[in-house]
Amino acid sequence: MRTDIFARLDREPEPPKIETPRMSRHRIALFGGTLAFYLAIVIAVLMSSWLVTLDWKVMLFRPYQQWPGIHAFLDYYVVLGQRGPTAVMVACWLGWRSWRQHTLRPLLTLGASLLLLNATVGAVKYGLGRLGPHYATQVGSAELFAGGDIFPSGHTANAVVTWGILAYLAATPRARRYLSAMSAVVSLGVGLTTVYLGTHWLSDVVLGWAAGLLILLGLPWVEPLITRAENWIFAARERLSAHSRLVPSPPVAAGGPRPVPAGPPAVGDAAAQSPVREPVAAGGRQAAVVTAAGRPRAHTAPPAHPSHAVRSERTPVTPAGSRRPPHADRTPRGGTAPARPVTGG
């Protein structure tokens, strides 16, 4: 019995599809404002403005030393922003939704968003090459182009995208509001946790929030590609299913011979393909053995010597006379009995 997601898609009736968000004017305005904010943060760091000074003040304040009691908890909480664990958790939930709603769109949307996140955030990270607070070399410096990879914060951007995709794919407006609030709280907490632990500057976290929000706001532009990918996957699956139905493969026992497909018999082999009945003498009785081409005979006698004919092929001989030996005192039927000698007087 098939247990994959395609078997479920075939077995269950198709429920309503998930509503696809459209690129409305409101969303376009939010995307433009977020993009302008993103560029402003990058320019402020490049110019070593007041934002870089604020970064150094927060770092020298050392929050992990001010509140050491929450350090152990925040070490676990920051995992909610790591890409591997969060992607696995969210993928399990979206996989269940795909199984229930008969569509691959939730999983494909998650994959597309993570791909965009890696491409955009990774390009800025390695392009600017900013060092983290623990590796800073000069007080007041922006620490750019020094071989680092922490600007923007990957933990923060990943938390925004991974948990925000649940709100993006919500089926009802009420669920979308609740999930949006939850993802905002989680991503805000993850970003501040990285500042507390001293692994990121404050400007890294702010730019990470903006980077993740840009991915979520721009996803409707990627929806046509997601739809094409889903249609292509199902079309490929249908082709494979049709091919498997055209070429059936009979089950073969382990260690047993594989069946050879039989072609049409030749004209000369017609007699060999038809069953033949041969009389066999066994204990004075006639027995018929049916043989077919390619199958051994059942209960056949061992081959006889070439110089002798098989008993079944011999011509039956009927005895001419009686097998009893002649008797001197008996007279054959229909004959005249000899006269007995008369003795006495």
Side-chain angles (χ1 to χ4, degrees), residues 170-192:
T172 61
R174 182 179 181 183
R176 185 175 294 111
R177 287 194 298 268
Y178 288 148
L179 291 174
S180 298
M182 183 205 70
S183 62
V185 170
V186 172
S187 58
L188 181 66
V190 169
L192 294 180

Side-chain angles (χ1 to χ4, degrees), residues 182-209:
M182 183 205 70
S183 62
V185 170
V186 172
S187 58
L188 181 66
V190 169
L192 294 180
T193 299
T194 60
V195 175
Y196 168 86
L197 296 175
T199 58
H200 280 287
W201 305 100
L202 181 61
S203 58
D204 299 343
V205 174
V206 175
L207 194 65
W209 286 329

Side-chain angles (χ1 to χ4, degrees), residues 318-334:
T318 304
S322 176
R323 296 185 180 181
R324 297 181 180 179
H327 199 276
D329 297 339
R330 292 184 179 180
T331 303
R333 296 180 181 179

